[in-house]
Amino acid sequence: MKKVTGISRWFHLLYLGNLLWSPVFDPGSDWVDWALVAVVVVVFVPLYVLSWHRPELVRWWCLVPTVVLGALVTPFNTGAAVLFVYAGALAGLVESRRVAMRWFVGLSALICVFAVVSAVPMPYRLWGLLPSLIFLWLVGILQVEWSERERDAADVRIRTARVEHLATLAERERIARDLHDLLGHTLTAIIVRAQLVAADPARAPAEAAEIEGAARAALGEIRAAVSGWRSASLETELEAARTALTSLGVEVVVRRDDGVTIVGSTEHELALALREAVTNVARHASASACRIVVEARDGELRLVVADDGVGSRGPEGNGLTGMRERIAALGGVVRRTGSAGTTVTIAVPLEVAT
């Protein structure tokens, strides 16, 4: 009883022909023997069909009743021992290998007992019992092997689904962080420029052009980020930081160690971290000066963003949390210090960064 569907399932009922050994070949058989065969077929077939549709009921509603039916009929018709073959297949379907083997041993013991106490004369007794004893182990072990493969395949499917689910969640978090990093800086710049227009209407034409350019650039970056194709450049972000902060009246000093070559993946994460740090300066610091340093020191590549603003008294937001997660994935750390002004230091091991 390996995995089968449709006609093949009905085909397996042909094994019930083993019930005919005694009525057909035993000269002493009469209508009672034929009636017993009919009773077995009428009772067993619904149990067999039930096992197709309700596998969770097989143990108590199919397996055990099949064994009981076989035990009641086999003393009078040894061909009914074929029910033990069906029972072995059902045990292999729903039980573990160890438990199924116990069923096989117990069913084999029943067949051996009936070989001694059956009312069916020789040689008809052996003709009914011996094939069932052999096929019990053959079919049962094949069913165990198939069931274990099916359970292993189901476990693999479940694990694969879980991995895909976790990967989906991780990708969603990545996109959310990217969008935050991209939009936070750009929208802050747009808001500031809009405020400048409100304060000085004469600047409207020039600021409107800058706002349009910033909005178009942000739209392009968002499309690239969602597609997973965007790779941020540290040089580009340094220039953007200088432009954005200068437009707010913040004096910006940038110092970069030109002797350090940064690998693409690390540069991407540092560029996004720089964008988030500069966005925080523009939004919250009320600073008049900001210093940005990229340097190699003490076995680390360090990105330092220091301002002379109001300090870091508030709790960390999503931006800093996302920054820490990104840098931690590179084996680095993010430190935020200062009360009179804020200093954010992003440090990544040089062996990872270069």
Side-chain angles (χ1 to χ4, degrees), residues 63-136:
L63 173 56
V64 172
T66 297
V67 174
V68 172
L69 181 63
L72 293 175
V73 178
T74 301
F76 309 101
N77 182 340
T78 52
V82 72
L83 296 175
F84 299 142
V85 179
Y86 287 104
L90 293 173
L93 175 67
V94 299
E95 305 290 359
S96 65
R97 177 181 290 268
R98 176 177 296 182
V99 175
M101 289 298 177
R102 292 174 181 173
W103 274 99
F104 300 161
V105 171
L107 294 171
S108 299
L110 274 177
I111 292 175
C112 292
V113 169
F114 291 133
V116 176
V117 302
S118 175
V120 178
M122 293 290 188
Y124 310 111
R125 181 185 306 180
L126 294 181
W127 290 357
L129 294 175
L130 190 57
S132 295
L133 181 61
I134 295 172
F135 280 98
L136 165 63

Side-chain angles (χ1 to χ4, degrees), residues 15-331:
Y15 295 121
L16 290 176
N18 204 46
L19 290 165
L20 300 177
W21 280 110
S22 181
V24 171
F25 296 103
D26 184 0
S29 63
D30 54 20
W31 66 270
V32 175
D33 297 294
W34 288 101
L36 193 58
V37 171
V39 169
V40 171
V41 172
V42 169
V43 174
F44 173 71
V45 170
L47 299 177
Y48 181 72
V49 174
L50 179 64
S51 69
W52 305 348
H53 303 289
R54 299 294 299 276
E56 73 279 5
L57 300 179
V58 166
R59 178 179 297 155
W60 298 109
W61 291 87
C62 302
L63 173 56
V64 172
T66 297
V67 174
V68 172
L69 181 63
L72 293 175
V73 178
T74 301
F76 309 101
N77 182 340
T78 52
V82 72
L83 296 175
F84 299 142
V85 179
Y86 287 104
L90 293 173
L93 175 67
V94 299
E95 305 290 359
S96 65
R97 177 181 290 268
R98 176 177 296 182
V99 175
M101 289 298 177
R102 292 174 181 173
W103 274 99
F104 300 161
V105 171
L107 294 171
S108 299
L110 274 177
I111 292 175
C112 292
V113 169
F114 291 133
V116 176
V117 302
S118 175
V120 178
M122 293 290 188
Y124 310 111
R125 181 185 306 180
L126 294 181
W127 290 357
L129 294 175
L130 190 57
S132 295
L133 181 61
I134 295 172
F135 280 98
L136 165 63
W137 286 91
L138 178 62
V139 174
I141 290 176
L142 288 175
Q143 184 66 67
V144 168
E145 295 293 337
W146 172 81
S147 297
E148 287 185 342
R149 286 198 297 270
E150 282 294 295
R151 284 192 283 267
D152 290 342
D155 289 341
V156 170
R157 288 193 293 270
I158 292 172
R159 287 196 296 270
T160 301
R162 288 175 178 170
V163 169
E164 291 176 351
H165 177 66
L166 292 175
T168 300
L169 292 179
E171 184 64 10
R172 287 175 181 173
E173 292 176 357
R174 183 193 69 80
I175 292 174
R177 288 195 300 264
D178 285 356
L179 291 177
H180 178 275
D181 293 341
L182 290 169
L183 289 178
H185 177 273
T186 303
L187 291 179
T188 297
I190 290 174
I191 291 171
V192 169
R193 292 186 183 279
Q195 291 173 341
L196 291 175
V197 170
D200 186 2
R203 301 181 59 174
E207 295 298 337
E210 293 290 340
I211 290 173
E212 180 184 1
R216 289 185 182 277
L219 181 59
E221 288 181 321
I222 290 171
R223 287 172 175 168
V226 173
S227 301
W229 296 337
R230 191 264 290 118
S231 181
S233 165
L234 186 57
E235 194 64 40
T236 300
E237 291 303 322
L238 286 171
E239 187 59 33
R242 189 197 306 271
T243 301
L245 293 177
T246 300
S247 68
L248 299 176
V250 179
E251 181 183 353
V252 181
V253 176
V254 176
R255 181 169 61 85
R256 178 173 180 178
D257 187 347
D258 294 329
V260 178
T261 301
I262 308 173
V263 298
S265 58
T266 302
E267 181 178 9
H268 171 78
E269 301 299 344
L270 289 177
L272 294 181
L274 172 61
R275 179 178 298 182
E276 175 60 30
V278 171
T279 298
N280 287 339
V281 173
R283 282 181 175 176
H284 311 299
S286 300
S288 60
C290 180
R291 179 172 57 91
I292 302 174
V293 179
V294 181
E295 62 180 354
R297 176 184 293 182
D298 300 330
E300 295 179 331
L301 177 65
R302 294 180 182 177
L303 169 62
V304 180
V305 180
D307 65 71
D308 62 353
V310 297
S312 55
R313 293 187 294 272
E316 292 188 0
N318 292 332
L320 272 173
T321 300
M323 182 195 302
R324 291 188 186 279
E325 292 174 354
R326 290 177 184 278
I327 300 304
L330 299 175

